[in-house]
Amino acid sequence: MNNHDDGQNALQELQTLRQQIDRLDHALVLMLANRFALTRRVGELKARADLNAFDPRREEEKIRDIKLLCEQHGLDPVLMADILAQIMRETVKNHERIRAEVTRGA
């Protein structure tokens, strides 16, 4: 095989890998959308039951679980904990907005 063939094979593999990455990125967006749909329902339940939007114990448990899972799969636990913390901060903001909506509607 010559350098041209190697380069051509590399480009084909690169294209295939990028397509797989694109599919995974789309799946991540769909999973996040599903997660936010579920947490919206949680926020509605919390608002109606007059529970706090933020549950520090639950957040600590989630971060701990994610870090352990990352270690099992060779991922950077700090990076994933930061990503999850950001998602949870957004969730709490959504819960606070939902509480305000429920309070105005009551």
Side-chain angles (χ1 to χ4, degrees), residues 35-63:
R35 187 185 195 283
F36 276 112
L38 292 170
T39 60
R40 176 164 182 76
R41 182 68 182 130
V42 168
E44 292 166 354
L45 292 170
K46 283 182 173 183
R48 287 187 175 80
D50 198 28
L51 299 172
N52 289 329
F54 177 65
D55 183 346
R57 192 170 78 199
R58 169 78 174 149
E59 186 167 320
E60 287 173 19
E61 290 171 0
K62 289 295 302 170
I63 296 291

Side-chain angles (χ1 to χ4, degrees), residues 35 56-78 80-82 84-85 88:
R35 187 185 195 283
R57 192 170 78 199
R58 169 78 174 149
E59 186 167 320
E60 287 173 19
E61 290 171 0
K62 289 295 302 170
I63 296 291
R64 185 180 59 247
D65 290 347
I66 286 297
K67 285 182 174 181
L68 288 172
L69 189 61
C70 287
E71 290 169 3
Q72 293 170 5
H73 293 281
L75 296 173
D76 180 352
V78 174
M80 290 307 299
D82 287 347
L84 184 60
M88 289 188 296

Side-chain angles (χ1 to χ4, degrees), residues 47 50 96-106:
D50 198 28
E96 290 168 350
R97 279 192 290 271
I98 291 166
R99 178 179 296 282
E101 291 169 8
V102 167
T103 302
R104 280 194 305 268

